[in-house]
Coordinates of all heavy atoms in Angstrom, one line a residue:
F1 N -15.5 17.1 -0.8 CA -14.9 16.0 -1.6 C -14.1 15.0 -0.8 O -14.2 13.8 -0.8 CB -14.1 16.5 -2.7 CG -13.4 15.5 -3.6 CD1 -14.2 14.8 -4.6 CD2 -12.1 15.1 -3.4 CE1 -13.5 13.8 -5.3 CE2 -11.5 14.1 -4.2 CZ -12.2 13.4 -5.2
V2 N -13.1 15.6 0.0 CA -12.3 14.8 1.0 C -13.1 14.0 2.0 O -12.9 12.9 2.3 CB -11.2 15.7 1.6 CG1 -10.5 14.9 2.7 CG2 -10.3 16.2 0.6
N3 N -14.1 14.7 2.5 CA -15.0 14.0 3.5 C -15.7 12.9 2.9 O -15.8 11.9 3.5 CB -16.0 15.1 4.0 CG -16.8 14.5 5.2 OD1 -16.5 13.6 5.9 ND2 -18.1 15.1 5.3
H4 N -16.3 13.0 1.7 CA -17.0 12.0 1.0 C -16.2 10.9 0.6 O -16.5 9.7 0.5 CB -17.8 12.6 -0.1 CG -18.8 11.6 -0.8 ND1 -19.1 10.4 -0.3 CD2 -19.5 11.7 -1.9 CE1 -20.0 9.8 -1.1 NE2 -20.2 10.6 -2.1
N5 N -14.9 11.1 0.2 CA -14.0 10.1 -0.3 C -12.8 9.8 0.6 O -11.8 9.3 0.1 CB -13.5 10.6 -1.7 CG -14.6 10.7 -2.7 OD1 -15.3 9.8 -3.0 ND2 -14.8 11.9 -3.2
S6 N -13.0 10.0 1.8 CA -11.9 9.8 2.8 C -11.4 8.4 2.8 O -10.2 8.2 2.9 CB -12.2 10.3 4.2 OG -13.3 9.6 4.7
Y7 N -12.3 7.4 2.8 CA -11.8 6.1 2.9 C -11.0 5.7 1.6 O -9.9 5.1 1.7 CB -13.0 5.0 2.9 CG -12.5 3.6 3.0 CD1 -12.2 3.0 4.2 CD2 -12.4 2.8 1.9 CE1 -11.7 1.8 4.3 CE2 -12.0 1.5 1.9 CZ -11.6 1.0 3.2 OH -11.1 -0.3 3.3
A8 N -11.4 6.1 0.4 CA -10.7 5.8 -0.8 C -9.3 6.5 -0.8 O -8.3 6.0 -1.2 CB -11.5 6.2 -2.0
I9 N -9.2 7.8 -0.3 CA -8.0 8.5 -0.3 C -7.0 7.8 0.7 O -5.9 7.6 0.4 CB -8.3 10.0 0.2 CG1 -9.1 10.7 -1.0 CG2 -7.0 10.7 0.4 CD1 -9.6 12.0 -0.6
L10 N -7.5 7.5 1.9 CA -6.6 6.8 2.9 C -6.2 5.4 2.4 O -5.1 5.0 2.6 CB -7.3 6.7 4.3 CG -7.4 8.1 4.9 CD1 -8.3 8.0 6.2 CD2 -6.1 8.7 5.2
A11 N -7.1 4.7 1.8 CA -6.8 3.3 1.3 C -5.8 3.5 0.2 O -4.8 2.7 0.1 CB -8.0 2.6 0.8
G12 N -5.9 4.4 -0.7 CA -4.9 4.7 -1.8 C -3.6 5.0 -1.2 O -2.5 4.5 -1.8
A13 N -3.5 5.9 -0.1 CA -2.3 6.3 0.5 C -1.6 5.1 1.1 O -0.4 4.9 1.0 CB -2.5 7.4 1.5
A14 N -2.4 4.2 1.8 CA -1.8 3.0 2.5 C -1.3 2.0 1.4 O -0.2 1.5 1.6 CB -2.9 2.3 3.2
L15 N -1.9 1.9 0.2 CA -1.4 1.1 -0.8 C -0.1 1.7 -1.5 O 0.7 0.9 -1.8 CB -2.5 0.8 -1.9 CG -3.6 -0.1 -1.4 CD1 -4.7 -0.1 -2.5 CD2 -3.1 -1.5 -1.1
L16 N -0.1 3.0 -1.6 CA 1.1 3.6 -2.2 C 2.3 3.4 -1.2 O 3.4 3.2 -1.7 CB 0.9 5.1 -2.4 CG 0.0 5.4 -3.7 CD1 -0.3 6.9 -3.8 CD2 0.7 4.9 -4.9
I17 N 2.0 3.6 0.1 CA 3.1 3.5 1.0 C 3.6 2.1 1.1 O 4.8 1.8 1.1 CB 2.6 4.0 2.4 CG1 2.5 5.5 2.4 CG2 3.7 3.5 3.6 CD1 1.8 6.1 3.6
G18 N 2.7 1.1 1.0 CA 3.0 -0.3 1.0 C 3.8 -0.7 -0.2 O 4.8 -1.4 -0.2
A19 N 3.4 -0.2 -1.3 CA 4.1 -0.4 -2.6 C 5.6 0.2 -2.6 O 6.5 -0.5 -2.9 CB 3.4 0.1 -3.8
W20 N 5.6 1.3 -2.0 CA 6.9 2.1 -1.8 C 7.9 1.2 -0.9 O 9.0 1.0 -1.3 CB 6.7 3.4 -1.3 CG 8.0 4.2 -1.1 CD1 8.9 4.7 -2.0 CD2 8.6 4.5 0.2 NE1 10.0 5.3 -1.4 CE2 9.8 5.2 0.0 CE3 8.2 4.3 1.5 CZ2 10.6 5.6 1.0 CZ3 9.0 4.7 2.5 CH2 10.2 5.4 2.2
R21 N 7.4 0.7 0.2 CA 8.2 -0.1 1.1 C 8.5 -1.4 0.5 O 9.7 -1.9 0.7 CB 7.4 -0.2 2.4 CG 7.3 1.0 3.2 CD 6.7 0.7 4.6 NE 7.4 -0.3 5.3 CZ 8.1 -0.2 6.4 NH1 8.2 0.9 7.0 NH2 8.7 -1.3 6.9
L22 N 7.6 -2.0 -0.3 CA 7.9 -3.2 -1.0 C 9.1 -3.1 -2.0 O 9.9 -3.9 -2.1 CB 6.7 -3.8 -1.6 CG 6.8 -5.2 -2.3 CD1 7.1 -6.2 -1.4 CD2 5.5 -5.4 -3.1
L23 N 9.0 -2.0 -2.8 CA 10.0 -1.8 -3.8 C 11.3 -1.3 -3.2 O 12.3 -1.4 -3.9 CB 9.4 -0.8 -4.9 CG 8.2 -1.4 -5.7 CD1 7.7 -0.3 -6.6 CD2 8.6 -2.6 -6.5
R24 N 11.2 -0.6 -2.1 CA 12.4 0.0 -1.5 C 13.3 -1.2 -0.9 O 14.5 -1.1 -1.1 CB 12.1 0.9 -0.4 CG 13.2 1.7 0.1 CD 12.7 2.8 0.9 NE 13.8 3.6 1.5 CZ 14.0 3.6 2.8 NH1 13.2 3.0 3.6 NH2 15.0 4.2 3.3
R25 N 12.7 -2.2 -0.4 CA 13.4 -3.3 0.1 C 13.5 -4.3 -1.1 O 12.9 -4.2 -2.1 CB 12.6 -4.0 1.2 CG 12.5 -3.1 2.4 CD 11.7 -3.7 3.5 NE 11.6 -2.9 4.6 CZ 10.9 -3.2 5.7 NH1 10.4 -4.3 5.9 NH2 10.9 -2.3 6.7
S26 N 14.2 -5.5 -0.8 CA 14.1 -6.5 -1.9 C 12.8 -7.2 -1.9 O 12.1 -7.4 -1.0 CB 15.2 -7.6 -1.5 OG 14.8 -8.3 -0.3
V27 N 12.3 -7.3 -3.2 CA 11.0 -7.9 -3.4 C 11.0 -9.3 -3.2 O 11.8 -10.1 -3.9 CB 10.5 -7.5 -4.8 CG1 9.2 -8.2 -5.2 CG2 10.5 -6.0 -5.1
T28 N 10.2 -9.9 -2.3 CA 10.1 -11.3 -2.0 C 8.7 -11.7 -2.1 O 7.7 -10.9 -2.2 CB 10.6 -11.6 -0.5 OG1 9.7 -10.9 0.3 CG2 12.0 -11.1 -0.4
W29 N 8.5 -13.0 -2.2 CA 7.1 -13.6 -2.3 C 6.4 -13.3 -1.1 O 5.1 -13.0 -1.1 CB 7.2 -15.1 -2.6 CG 7.6 -15.5 -3.9 CD1 8.8 -16.0 -4.3 CD2 6.9 -15.2 -5.1 NE1 8.9 -16.1 -5.6 CE2 7.8 -15.7 -6.2 CE3 5.7 -14.6 -5.5 CZ2 7.4 -15.6 -7.5 CZ3 5.3 -14.6 -6.8 CH2 6.1 -15.0 -7.8
R30 N 7.0 -13.3 0.0 CA 6.3 -12.9 1.3 C 5.8 -11.5 1.3 O 4.7 -11.1 1.6 CB 7.2 -13.2 2.5 CG 6.5 -12.8 3.8 CD 7.5 -13.2 5.0 NE 6.9 -12.9 6.2 CZ 7.3 -11.8 7.0 NH1 8.3 -11.2 6.7 NH2 6.6 -11.6 8.1
G31 N 6.6 -10.6 0.8 CA 6.3 -9.2 0.7 C 5.1 -8.9 -0.3 O 4.2 -8.2 0.0
I32 N 5.2 -9.6 -1.4 CA 4.1 -9.6 -2.4 C 2.9 -10.0 -1.8 O 1.7 -9.5 -2.0 CB 4.5 -10.3 -3.6 CG1 5.7 -9.6 -4.3 CG2 3.3 -10.4 -4.6 CD1 6.3 -10.3 -5.5
A33 N 2.9 -11.2 -1.1 CA 1.7 -11.7 -0.5 C 1.1 -10.8 0.6 O -0.1 -10.6 0.7 CB 2.0 -13.1 0.2
L34 N 1.9 -10.2 1.4 CA 1.4 -9.2 2.4 C 0.8 -8.0 1.7 O -0.2 -7.5 2.2 CB 2.6 -8.8 3.3 CG 3.1 -9.9 4.3 CD1 4.3 -9.4 5.0 CD2 1.9 -10.2 5.3
Y35 N 1.4 -7.6 0.6 CA 0.9 -6.4 -0.1 C -0.5 -6.7 -0.7 O -1.4 -6.0 -0.7 CB 1.8 -5.9 -1.1 CG 1.3 -4.7 -1.9 CD1 1.4 -3.5 -1.3 CD2 0.8 -4.9 -3.2 CE1 0.9 -2.4 -2.0 CE2 0.3 -3.7 -3.8 CZ 0.4 -2.5 -3.2 OH -0.1 -1.3 -3.9
L36 N -0.6 -7.9 -1.3 CA -1.9 -8.4 -1.9 C -2.9 -8.6 -0.7 O -4.1 -8.2 -1.0 CB -1.7 -9.6 -2.7 CG -0.9 -9.5 -3.9 CD1 -0.7 -10.9 -4.5 CD2 -1.6 -8.5 -4.9
A37 N -2.5 -9.0 0.4 CA -3.5 -9.2 1.5 C -3.9 -7.7 2.0 O -5.2 -7.6 2.3 CB -2.8 -9.9 2.7
L38 N -3.0 -6.8 2.1 CA -3.4 -5.4 2.4 C -4.4 -4.9 1.4 O -5.4 -4.3 1.7 CB -2.1 -4.5 2.5 CG -2.4 -3.1 2.7 CD1 -3.0 -2.8 4.1 CD2 -1.1 -2.3 2.5

């Protein structure tokens, strides 16, 4: 399962880490734009 879905798992982890970093700092338009680009 992990082998077959590794891209989705890693992409989800990257998005969760990005959201956590965005919310941990002050939310700015630049941060939101970078998160949406990611």
